[in-house]
Amino acid sequence: MALASSFASASDPSPLQDTCVAIDEPKNAVFVNGKFCKNPNLTVAEDFFYKGLNIPGNTSNRVGSDVTTVNVDVIPGLNTLGISLVRIDYAPYGQNPPHTHPRATEILTVLEGTLLVGFVTSNPQNRLISKVLNKGDVFVFPIGLIHFQFNIGHTNAVAIGGLSSQNPGVITIANAVFGSNPPINPDFLATAFQLDKKVVEFLQARF
């Protein structure tokens, strides 16, 4: 039963002490959840602080969005706390392309603008659960499911996302499939996606 319950955990392991500030220097430190921990008696306010989330991201790119990530690599004090967040900026008609977070559920709050958001359930249903969000609206993307956001407004949009992991990870579907290193065999992808091989090779060149 104990073994089964350990696999049912939906977030990072619970901490066994007040703080476990992540450090790179392992001397006199304890290794917990992928990071070395600073001596709790030496923790300071800066270990739990980040400045600059008010600064807009640069959305002048192919997809018209920018994600500012605040995870354990940015705030070492998040180590073992099972939480992180992102700021997402969207140009008009910009998008956060279909992606997954392998280690976290996400809860998104729109601060400015209008977003079309959604996620797709697992096989075999592959149901699209989608909604238009306005300022102040909140939406949840379940852990591991492919999801997206699209700015359908004429102005910039901004959202904040909370994630149930100190390091949720992100897998952007197109990048992973067509931009893998080394590339996946195009004959295989042509069959998997029911595309002409030349289309697959074109997409691989794009990514």
Side-chain angles (χ1 to χ4, degrees):
M1 184 176 291
L3 183 61
S5 65
S6 69
F7 287 118
S9 176
S11 62
D12 293 338
S14 298
L16 299 178
Q17 56 196 48
D18 288 344
T19 66
C20 183
V21 175
I23 57 173
D24 294 324
E25 173 55 54
K27 184 179 180 180
N28 298 324
V30 178
F31 193 73
V32 178
N33 202 23
K35 298 286 185 180
F36 289 101
C37 293
K38 178 190 285 190
N39 183 330
N41 295 326
L42 301 179
T43 59
V44 295
E46 296 300 316
D47 294 329
F48 305 90
F49 174 76
Y50 172 82
K51 183 177 183 179
L53 206 62
N54 61 310
I55 300 171
N58 182 3
T59 59
S60 57
N61 52 55
R62 291 186 304 178
V63 296
S65 70
D66 185 80
V67 180
T68 303
T69 302
V70 184
N71 60 14
V72 68
D73 295 323
V74 178
I75 301 181
L78 284 176
N79 194 37
T80 75
L81 298 185
I83 194 169
S84 59
L85 62 83
V86 294
R87 169 183 170 139
I88 314 172
D89 290 273
Y90 313 82
Y93 309 110
Q95 61 175 270
N96 191 6
H99 63 281
T100 71
H101 301 293
R103 295 180 290 275
T105 292
E106 178 179 0
I107 183 166
L108 187 86
T109 303
V110 178
L111 301 183
E112 296 291 342
T114 302
L115 299 177
L116 171 65
V117 307
F119 64 86
V120 180
T121 64
S122 58
N123 298 348
Q125 288 83 13
N126 299 128
R127 290 183 59 221
L128 172 63
I129 310 295
S130 183
K131 191 164 182 65
V132 173
L133 305 182
N134 296 296
K135 182 177 180 178
D137 291 344
V138 178
F139 198 81
V140 173
F141 305 109
I143 185 170
L145 296 186
I146 294 174
H147 59 282
F148 64 88
Q149 303 104 38
F150 175 45
N151 180 7
I152 59 175
H154 302 291
T155 61
N156 292 337
V158 183
I160 293 287
L163 298 119
S164 61
S165 171
Q166 68 181 40
N167 186 20
V170 61
I171 301 171
T172 305
I173 307 306
N175 296 48
V177 173
F178 298 109
S180 66
N181 184 22
I184 299 172
N185 185 304
D187 291 305
F188 168 77
L189 290 180
T191 301
F193 285 90
Q194 297 294 288
L195 297 172
D196 186 274
K197 181 180 176 181
K198 291 182 178 179
V199 174
V200 171
E201 291 173 335
F202 170 78
L203 290 170
Q204 289 180 316
R206 293 282 293 172
F207 287 93

